[in-house]
Amino acid sequence: MFQQPNNMMEGQLHPLEMTQNASESEIARMRDEEFDSTNKSGSENHELGGSGDDQDPRPNKKKRYHRHTQHQIQEMEAFFKECPHPDDKQRKELGRELGLEPLQVKFWFQNKRTQMKTQHERHENTQLRTENEKLRADNMRYREALSTASCPNCGGPTAVGQMSFDEHHLRLENSRLREEIDRISAIAAKYVGKPVVNFPLLSSPALPRPFDFGSQPVTEEMYGVGDLLRSISAPSEADKPMIIELAVAAMEELVRMVQMGEPLWMTSLDGTTCMLNEEEYIRTFPSGIGPKPTGFKCEASKETTVVIMNHINLVEILMDVNQWSTVFSGIISKASTLDVLSTGVAGNYNGALQVMTAEFQVLSPLVPTRESYYVRYCKQHAEGTWAVVDVSLDTIRPSPTVRCRRRPSGCLIQEMPNGYSKVTWVEHVEVDDGGVHNLYKQLVSSGHAFGARRWVSTLDRQCERLASLMASNIPTGDVGVITNQDGRKSMLKLAERMVISFCGGVSASTAHTWTTLSGTGADDVRVMTRKSVDDPGRPPGIVLSAATSFWLPVSPKRVFDFLRDEHSRSEWDILSNGGAVQEMAHIANGRDPGNCVSLLRVNSANSSQSNMLILQESCTDPTASFVIYAPVDIVAMNVVLNGGDPDYVALLPSGFAILPDGMTVTDVGMADSGGSSGSLLTVAFQILVDSVPTAKLSLGSVATVNNLIACTVERIKASLSCDNA
């Protein structure tokens, strides 16, 4: 469960920078002004507005939120006198009587308690100022005594040693004075509104220096965030009531969009997808977060599926940023929680509010990522029915770098028998997709890249994977099946880390700086490099990553089956040196036989070379397929298979991301080999080019990796009978 952060405590109303050297008169003036402004706004709905009906839909003007009614204020004032700290049940009951959300009642009581504390602190501060004036006068008196002191024997200047008692007394007084000033500054900072806690974004280590080889500069990998996410911090206290009101309105809109059919949602000709009627949407939801920005395109979709996971666990995954980004690692390149406005009530996520940032990706360097700054709100609507909604906060904090806005998007989760859940997902964004490569434009515009179907297909596959992890009734008849429960968990955990590492290093994320090596078009090879130091999960040294994306005139299923099959591996895997590949062990991950984790052994054709082990995970769903692998140490894998800690197994994953080309609206992800749909294949390698992290990258190393990936591409095309493509 999330803990409510310190900056949600009562009393923080407006940001104000203060310094320790500020004079007491300035501090007093600022405190008095803040107290007067607080009293003026105490009974207003500045601390938490009413319903979202009065929102001004114009995003470029400051919004005004109506006050609570006089009846609401009188009732809450009367309740406050009896109970200034109502519990969850009392807030719900009071909100029901007054027509307010429990969070609105909660924030009104918080701000009311702030006013009472401020009045008390004002009186205390007056006394402190009086004491400080007295201390200052004493301080000046001691200084004057020191400057005019004389020796009683000779009448000359006093020696230092003769004033030790007075100096000691002066130091004590100065220390006490500093403590009093610090105390006043702390009180002022707390109740005037200076931020107490700064919520960091993603960690940004020092950027490595670029290096040169020949005339072609290559920049090492840059860790950090994009222009949008770098400029965002936690919301101010003044923003929080508006954020809450926006979240409440977004939740209402999401639930209505889930429940509505035609004419809001139009079914495609083949009946497989739902498309949003934009005109009907504007008529149904006229306020929203403002009009669509100029040049932006609307992408909206709705999809429903049944997954093998109970509703409580699903809600926990969606509200825990670490679990969420792990489950959807193929879609999310990075995510962060900036602030937690509410952790929920009654020991669960009902009413939880989080301000977040995220970057969404397609596993290809040819598709720009989408950065978003939004609030996530979770609410229980009935027994066994939950909803989680996201909505962008760009109207509250506009930014010229915004390229993607999330209108109310999320999912409705309904409990079903036997631990299953029905999930209805709505994805609704407005985006500037001008940077998408022509090769991927059709896929992105069709909704297969970022749409609701992509989310629910990934969720369904990952729920099956988690179910297989917890399975205890493993059949023992098949050769190579790992039945040791601890060994299964360790191997699946290692494979999960491998997949996350691969997905995090293939896209056009703002954390990456790709450099194009050739200029032949879509088949350009892009490279980047990073130094691996003190990371037990990676071998130390300089790692060179290379990736390229291209189109194949065969179905994604055919490409996936060819690449995952160990018997056809020698046709494309140059590093196996033509040796036979044998599956030593495997773990099934779902209904589809292609969803599995395998341990492969490459029997080298040269008897003088040692055999090599390869850890491979293959996964597929109707919207995407992956084959990801990494060479592993034999000794380390024996430890893992016996249930040992997999975190210290060094991995450099390589692999393939296979996507439909978006040219058809049928289930292209599962088309048969004779289908007319094509595939978009991304090939990505990670090679340790030098085991010394401080070494220089040579032109020869880059040329070698470039040739390796080019030869692999040609072999795949030839094997799939498309060498003229």
Side-chain angles (χ1 to χ4, degrees):
M1 295 291 290
F2 292 102
Q3 299 297 322
Q4 185 158 330
N6 293 337
N7 68 342
M8 278 294 297
M9 297 299 292
E10 299 93 359
Q12 299 183 18
L13 300 175
H14 303 286
L16 180 64
E17 293 295 332
M18 299 188 66
T19 65
Q20 185 173 346
N21 295 327
S23 67
E24 279 74 19
S25 59
E26 292 176 343
I27 294 175
R29 175 179 57 78
M30 289 185 287
R31 182 172 51 252
D32 292 339
E33 290 176 355
E34 175 54 28
F35 179 77
D36 292 338
S37 65
T38 302
N39 280 340
K40 290 178 182 178
S41 63
S43 298
E44 297 180 9
N45 195 19
H46 174 74
E47 61 273 7
L48 189 63
S51 69
D53 298 336
D54 293 338
Q55 293 187 62
D56 187 348
R58 294 170 295 182
N60 295 327
K61 293 189 177 181
K62 184 177 180 180
K63 294 190 175 184
R64 298 189 59 175
Y65 299 87
H66 69 262
R67 305 176 178 180
H68 291 310
T69 65
Q70 192 64 31
H71 172 69
Q72 291 172 334
I73 295 173
Q74 290 175 353
E75 289 296 320
M76 286 190 288
E77 290 277 3
F79 197 96
F80 183 89
K81 293 178 181 179
E82 299 295 330
C83 178
H85 292 272
D87 57 22
D88 295 340
K89 182 177 180 181
Q90 291 172 319
R91 287 198 298 267
K92 283 185 179 179
E93 183 64 27
L94 188 58
R96 189 180 300 109
E97 293 177 359
L98 301 180
L100 297 174
E101 288 285 333
L103 279 174
Q104 293 176 293
V105 176
K106 175 181 177 179
F107 274 72
W108 187 94
F109 274 79
Q110 284 185 344
N111 286 338
K112 183 64 179 177
R113 292 192 295 269
T114 295
Q115 295 174 26
M116 301 300 293
K117 287 186 177 181
T118 304
Q119 294 176 18
H120 175 74
E121 294 294 342
R122 184 186 185 191
H123 175 70
E124 182 179 354
N125 289 346
T126 302
Q127 293 179 327
L128 289 174
R129 285 200 301 272
T130 302
E131 292 181 14
N132 274 334
E133 293 294 336
K134 181 180 178 181
L135 290 170
R136 184 177 290 104
D138 290 341
N139 195 351
M140 294 302 298
R141 179 169 58 84
Y142 288 125
R143 287 180 179 273
E144 291 175 0
L146 279 174
S147 62
T148 59
S150 61
C151 178
N153 296 326
C154 65
T158 305
V160 176
Q162 292 176 302
M163 292 297 293
S164 60
F165 175 80
D166 288 337
E167 285 181 348
H168 179 66
H169 187 70
L170 184 60
R171 289 194 182 99
L172 291 177
E173 290 297 329
N174 282 339
S175 177
R176 181 184 173 190
L177 189 61
R178 279 195 299 269
E179 290 175 358
E180 294 293 343
I181 292 174
D182 290 343
R183 183 182 176 190
I184 291 178
S185 298
I187 294 173
K190 180 179 180 182
Y191 291 103
V192 175
K194 179 180 177 181
V196 177
V197 178
N198 293 322
F199 289 86
L201 286 173
L202 303 178
S203 59
S204 301
L207 299 181
R209 295 190 302 272
F211 59 88
D212 298 295
F213 59 95
S215 60
Q216 177 69 44
V218 178
T219 304
E220 294 185 358
E221 180 180 9
M222 297 174 61
Y223 295 88
V225 291
D227 293 337
L228 171 62
L229 302 189
R230 187 181 293 112
S231 64
I232 292 174
S233 59
S236 66
E237 289 295 323
D239 290 337
K240 290 177 182 178
M242 293 181 283
I243 292 174
I244 292 170
E245 186 167 340
L246 188 62
V248 171
M251 177 63 73
E252 180 182 353
E253 178 176 320
L254 173 71
V255 173
R256 291 180 62 189
M257 290 186 72
V258 167
Q259 296 172 344
M260 295 176 69
E262 294 185 358
L264 180 66
W265 293 102
M266 308 298 292
T267 305
S268 61
L269 295 178
D270 59 0
T272 60
T273 57
C274 287
M275 300 173 293
L276 183 69
N277 184 334
E278 291 191 56
E279 294 182 357
E280 184 66 24
Y281 172 79
I282 294 174
R283 284 193 295 268
T284 307
F285 306 102
S287 55
I289 58 174
K292 180 172 64 178
T294 304
F296 279 40
K297 293 182 179 179
C298 173
E299 293 181 11
S301 54
K302 183 173 73 168
E303 195 76 21
T304 300
T305 192
V306 175
V307 298
I308 182 171
M309 181 175 288
N310 70 65
H311 60 292
I312 298 298
N313 290 342
L314 281 175
V315 170
E316 182 179 348
I317 287 175
L318 295 174
M319 298 306 295
D320 183 330
V321 67
N322 293 322
Q323 294 189 57
W324 177 61
S325 56
T326 296
V327 169
F328 296 101
S329 59
I331 307 175
I332 304 165
S333 59
K334 65 170 73 76
S336 175
T337 300
L338 298 182
D339 199 358
V340 179
L341 305 189
S342 173
T343 57
V345 296
N348 55 42
Y349 284 106
N350 185 23
L353 269 169
Q354 303 173 6
V355 177
M356 305 175 65
T357 62
E359 186 182 53
F360 306 103
Q361 66 179 355
V362 170
L363 295 189
S364 170
L366 301 183
V367 182
T369 55
R370 298 178 174 183
E371 298 172 320
S372 188
Y373 170 57
Y374 57 94
V375 60
R376 175 164 292 180
Y377 179 35
C378 177
K379 183 178 180 181
Q380 183 179 11
H381 289 270
E383 186 65 30
T385 301
W386 293 71
V388 178
V389 66
D390 298 342
V391 63
S392 283
L393 298 177
D394 308 317
T395 54
I396 293 177
R397 193 177 299 183
S399 171
T401 61
V402 171
R403 293 292 178 266
C404 176
R405 293 205 312 170
R406 288 181 71 76
R407 286 191 177 271
S409 303
C411 61
L412 184 71
I413 303 170
Q414 296 169 282
E415 181 184 14
M416 295 187 69
N418 301 321
Y420 284 76
S421 298
K422 179 182 178 182
V423 179
T424 303
W425 200 290
V426 171
E427 196 67 16
H428 189 188
V429 300
E430 293 165 342
V431 63
D432 176 6
D433 63 355
V436 177
H437 193 281
N438 288 333
L439 199 62
Y440 282 82
K441 278 191 178 296
Q442 185 63 36
L443 172 68
V444 173
S445 62
S446 69
H448 286 293
F450 294 99
R453 194 180 191 200
R454 180 86 178 90
W455 288 93
V456 299
S457 296
T458 302
L459 180 63
D460 186 24
R461 173 170 53 81
Q462 289 285 41
C463 287
E464 287 188 359
R465 190 184 196 279
L466 292 172
S468 68
L469 176 63
M470 304 304 296
S472 57
N473 53 341
I474 308 300
T476 58
D478 296 338
V479 177
V481 174
I482 301 175
T483 57
N484 178 2
Q485 188 70 11
D486 292 336
R488 287 172 58 86
K489 289 184 178 180
S490 293
M491 188 167 171
L492 285 173
K493 184 179 178 182
L494 180 62
E496 180 182 76
R497 175 161 66 86
M498 177 180 68
V499 171
I500 293 173
S501 176
F502 175 84
C503 294
V506 178
S507 71
S509 169
T510 52
H512 305 153
T513 299
W514 292 101
T515 297
T516 304
L517 293 182
S518 57
T520 59
D523 285 1
D524 291 347
V525 176
R526 290 163 171 80
V527 298
M528 66 177 173
T529 185
R530 66 169 173 270
K531 295 178 181 179
S532 177
V533 183
D534 296 331
D535 184 352
R538 294 179 183 272
I542 295 181
V543 178
L544 185 65
S545 300
T548 188
S549 298
F550 57 97
W551 180 78
L552 290 169
V554 293
S555 70
K557 178 173 174 53
R558 182 181 172 192
V559 177
F560 174 70
D561 289 339
F562 169 73
L563 292 173
R564 77 177 181 87
D565 187 356
E566 69 271 16
H567 300 296
S568 59
R569 188 181 187 94
S570 60
E571 297 182 36
W572 58 264
D573 189 358
I574 298 174
L575 298 181
S576 65
N577 295 321
V581 180
Q582 177 185 2
E583 184 182 65
M584 302 297 296
H586 75 270
I587 302 174
N589 272 342
R591 297 184 301 258
D592 194 297
N595 290 329
C596 68
V597 175
S598 303
L599 187 62
L600 309 176
R601 183 175 65 187
V602 179
N603 298 311
S604 176
N606 187 346
S607 59
S608 63
Q609 295 181 353
S610 61
N611 293 335
M612 177 174 58
L613 288 183
I614 295 176
L615 178 67
Q616 174 178 292
E617 174 156 356
S618 59
C619 48
T620 183
D621 62 55
T623 61
S625 302
F626 308 101
V627 178
I628 302 168
Y629 62 91
V632 290
D633 180 70
I634 296 177
V635 176
M637 281 310 301
N638 282 331
V639 173
V640 171
L641 292 175
N642 289 321
D645 186 0
D647 292 340
Y648 293 94
V649 178
L651 293 175
L652 276 182
S654 300
F656 307 93
I658 310 155
L659 302 175
D661 59 10
M663 298 302 293
T664 64
V665 294
T666 58
D667 194 358
V668 294
M670 299 301 293
D672 59 30
S673 58
S676 60
S677 61
S679 304
L680 296 172
L681 178 62
T682 296
V683 183
F685 288 154
Q686 290 190 86
I687 305 295
L688 184 69
V689 295
D690 200 307
S691 59
V692 180
T694 57
K696 300 290 185 180
L697 182 66
S698 66
L699 177 61
S701 298
V702 177
T704 299
V705 175
N706 188 24
N707 291 334
L708 174 64
I709 200 168
C711 291
T712 302
V713 169
E714 291 305 315
R715 287 191 175 194
I716 292 174
K717 289 182 177 180
S719 297
L720 293 173
S721 302
C722 53
D723 43 341
N724 295 323

